Amino acid sequence: MRPMFLAIALCLGLLWTSILAPAAEPLPLHAVKPLQALIVDGQNNHGCWPKTTPMMKQYLEDTGLFTVDVVTHAPKGEDPDFKPDFKNYAVVVSNFGHGAAPWPAETRAAFEEYVKGGGGFVAVHAADNSFPDWPAYNEMIGLGGWGGRNEKSGPYVYYTDDGKLVRDTAAGAGGSHGPQTEFAIIVRDTAHPVTKGVPATWMHAKDELYDSLRGPAEHMQVLATAYCPKTKRHEPMIMTIDYGKGRVFHTPMGHETYSMECVGFINTLQRGAEWAATGKVSVPVAADFPTADKASSRISGK
Ligand SMILES: [Zn+2]
């Protein structure tokens, strides 16, 4: 065969192969390594949010599992340009707070579709104050506080002293906290991937102990609680929620930078984010995890 014909034949062959060969299916996002995480922030009644977002970004990256992007909403009012491309991420972490303006309708719909379709979501501290009027969001977080939440939002959920999980439909406001203090976290589910191997009781660094949260609390598991002297109830401190095919990790801890320096907060955030992203946990329990008697913090310098 003359060289020219050979070249043409080769080209045709390659073209034929590329037409016939099926395009490789993109990997599902939970299988893409490193895992792609997104922190969203921009409106939070906690003035420390510009410090706590980089802290959480660092915590996730420290695992070696995640790369983290941040998308920040306009500081005031509604932001028509707030349109993160959720579907590019294995997990989304909210560092929004009380009084955050509603996201654009298109963004809310995209977020619902993202989580329902199998995306991971992590709600931290005042993220459970956000969006009291967004039903799907309240289903995702399970329990929320403030913003007019009351018995119409769903039950209070807590453990009694004798270890019974109660869904209490009594009338009353949702969301409260006492003065900041160190408090003990009690693990209620030692088999869940997030809490497996974590000390059964551990001292959390100074924080607000959120009490009296209320919400739909459907498909929700309470993994850990803290005893609240004010309500005399054991209030949920780590929750997981199934929303469609998606997984949600909710920690009401994390009021201030020093609260987020608690190794218990750091390590459960890392493990919870991995679980929300993949359904599994490979992040080991930290060697410096707090114990029943002693809080343990890593000073961030923030
Ligand atoms: Zn707070």
Side-chain angles (χ1 to χ4, degrees), residues 44-46 125-126 129 146 177 180 207-208 210 252 254-256:
N44 195 328
N45 56 322
H46 293 66
H125 193 57
N129 298 194
W146 296 272
H177 63 76
Q180 293 179 55
D207 204 338
E208 288 172 344
Y210 271 10
H255 170 70
E256 250 295 350

Side-chain angles (χ1 to χ4, degrees), residues 42 52-53 105 170 219 230 235 264 296:
T52 54
T53 287
H219 317 292
K230 186 155 62 85
E235 302 284 351
S296 169

Side-chain angles (χ1 to χ4, degrees), residues 48-70:
C48 58
W49 71 262
K51 294 180 182 175
T52 54
T53 287
M55 286 169 71
M56 290 195 282
K57 182 176 194 290
Q58 187 68 52
Y59 296 156
L60 295 181
E61 289 173 347
D62 284 347
T63 64
L65 296 173
F66 295 98
T67 57
V68 184
D69 292 335
V70 177

Side-chain angles (χ1 to χ4, degrees), residues 159 186-197 221-224 240:
Y159 272 85
I186 299 171
V187 174
R188 298 286 176 175
D189 185 338
T190 54
H192 192 281
V194 172
T195 37
K196 195 172 183 181
Q221 271 183 277
V222 178
L223 303 189
T240 56

Side-chain angles (χ1 to χ4, degrees), residues 213-261:
L213 299 177
R214 57 192 320 166
E218 285 159 8
H219 317 292
M220 183 181 88
Q221 271 183 277
V222 178
L223 303 189
T225 58
Y227 180 73
C228 175
K230 186 155 62 85
T231 59
K232 300 187 169 31
R233 299 167 174 172
H234 297 262
E235 302 284 351
M237 281 296 130
I238 300 177
M239 294 86 95
T240 56
I241 300 98
D242 294 326
Y243 182 78
K245 292 181 191 160
R247 286 172 297 271
V248 181
F249 172 79
H250 177 178
T251 175
M253 293 179 264
H255 170 70
E256 250 295 350
T257 51
Y258 46 76
S259 318
M260 288 200 190
E261 288 170 347

Side-chain angles (χ1 to χ4, degrees), residues 41-45 73-75 77-78 94-103 126-127 129-132:
D41 65 9
Q43 290 196 5
N44 195 328
N45 56 322
H73 187 283
E78 295 186 21
S94 173
N95 196 17
F96 275 77
H98 178 75
W103 293 354
N129 298 194
S130 307
F131 315 133

Side-chain angles (χ1 to χ4, degrees), residues 169-185:
T169 56
S176 178
H177 63 76
Q180 293 179 55
T181 179
E182 286 187 2
F183 52 87
I185 305 289

